[in-house]
Amino acid sequence: MTAWDVLSVLGTLVGFVLLLVLAWWASRAIGRAYASNGAGRTVQLLDRVALGGEKQLLVVKAAGKVLLLGVTAHQITFLQQLDEAELPPPAEAPESAPFLAAFKRALDAKKGRETGDERNGPAQSE
């Protein structure tokens, strides 16, 4: 292997890494430009329920009114005006195990199946 071959491989590797960094940077920049959390100055999305397919119910607060809207891929339909005082308080997010802990449990369970534990008997080769 000549020095030219080594430089060619290193150049290709550096180019690939630069391409990955550029793609990461561009995706973050585009994501920030189009990021939306459903909240605006005059319209707030309070709740959303998927009904299947492209159908959903939205509870929206706009101009001081709370509205129930039916949304499909082709239209938005006003269903009812709701009384804000009668709405239930927002539900707190359920506490869930951090991803890493859940992933570790899944890996441990898989290792137990591969090596065979007392509950399932010895591992069987396929």
Side-chain angles (χ1 to χ4, degrees):
M1 190 171 213
T2 66
W4 179 249
D5 292 337
V6 172
L7 288 176
S8 177
V9 169
L10 286 176
T12 303
L13 183 61
V14 168
F16 182 70
V17 169
L18 286 175
L19 182 66
L20 288 177
V21 169
L22 181 64
W24 172 79
W25 177 81
S27 68
R28 288 186 47 104
I30 292 169
R32 274 190 232 115
Y34 291 101
S36 174
N37 62 358
R41 289 188 186 143
T42 58
V43 178
Q44 291 180 326
L45 177 62
L46 301 178
D47 201 2
R48 175 187 330 217
V49 176
L51 300 176
E54 297 180 1
K55 300 174 187 171
Q56 55 186 334
L57 289 175
L58 302 179
V59 178
V60 177
K61 184 174 183 180
K65 298 177 182 177
V66 179
L67 309 171
L68 178 64
L69 305 175
V71 179
T72 67
H74 303 289
Q75 69 181 22
I76 299 173
T77 305
F78 169 78
L79 299 175
Q80 183 176 2
Q81 183 171 339
L82 304 172
D83 184 11
E84 188 173 3
E86 293 180 5
L87 291 177
E92 294 182 19
E95 290 187 32
S96 61
F99 174 77
L100 189 56
F103 186 66
K104 185 176 183 318
R105 282 195 306 273
L107 281 177
D108 290 343
K110 182 167 177 52
K111 283 182 185 176
R113 283 193 300 263
E114 287 177 353
T115 59
D117 58 9
E118 292 78 29
R119 291 176 290 161
N120 297 331
Q124 298 178 3
S125 61
E126 294 179 19

